[in-house]
Amino acid sequence: VVDPSAVAGPNGSSFSYAVLSDRILLKSLNAQTIFKQVRIYNTIGQLMMENNADLITEVPLPYMPQGIYLCEFTDARGRRTTFRFFH
């Protein structure tokens, strides 16, 4: 494992991320990785947070109980990238 907090998609998108107590930082974004929307879901599928912007490089985290969450990013072409994280 080169980077345990990295995502590589089949469409050429790749990035790494760091989950902090109050936000998720996106690192090493390439030209194919321009996210326009982010959604965070809990493990039972409830939407906890949604954010839309021209370029997302940081995701502020609202208060959420400790647990496992899914983070879904959508790029300008509608392609989705998802990873799970503990908060």
Side-chain angles (χ1 to χ4, degrees):
V1 174
V2 176
D3 187 348
S5 61
V7 176
N11 55 11
S13 66
S14 66
F15 65 97
S16 58
Y17 61 92
V19 179
L20 307 177
S21 62
D22 62 342
R23 65 188 179 270
I24 299 173
L25 297 176
L26 303 181
K27 306 181 290 184
S28 307
L29 296 171
N30 64 28
Q32 282 81 32
T33 313
I34 299 175
F35 296 121
K36 302 283 188 174
Q37 181 183 61
V38 61
R39 292 179 177 157
I40 296 178
Y41 298 92
N42 63 16
T43 54
I44 61 173
Q46 295 173 317
L47 181 64
M48 303 299 290
M49 191 276 289
E50 180 176 2
N51 189 17
N52 295 289
D54 288 334
L55 175 62
I56 296 174
T57 58
E58 184 175 310
V59 180
L61 293 175
Y63 169 78
M64 299 184 297
Q66 285 188 347
I68 298 172
Y69 294 89
L70 297 174
C71 187
E72 176 190 73
F73 290 99
T74 305
D75 69 12
R77 294 182 182 173
R79 296 178 298 197
R80 296 182 298 175
T81 302
T82 305
F83 65 88
R84 67 177 172 230
F85 67 96
F86 180 79
H87 179 66

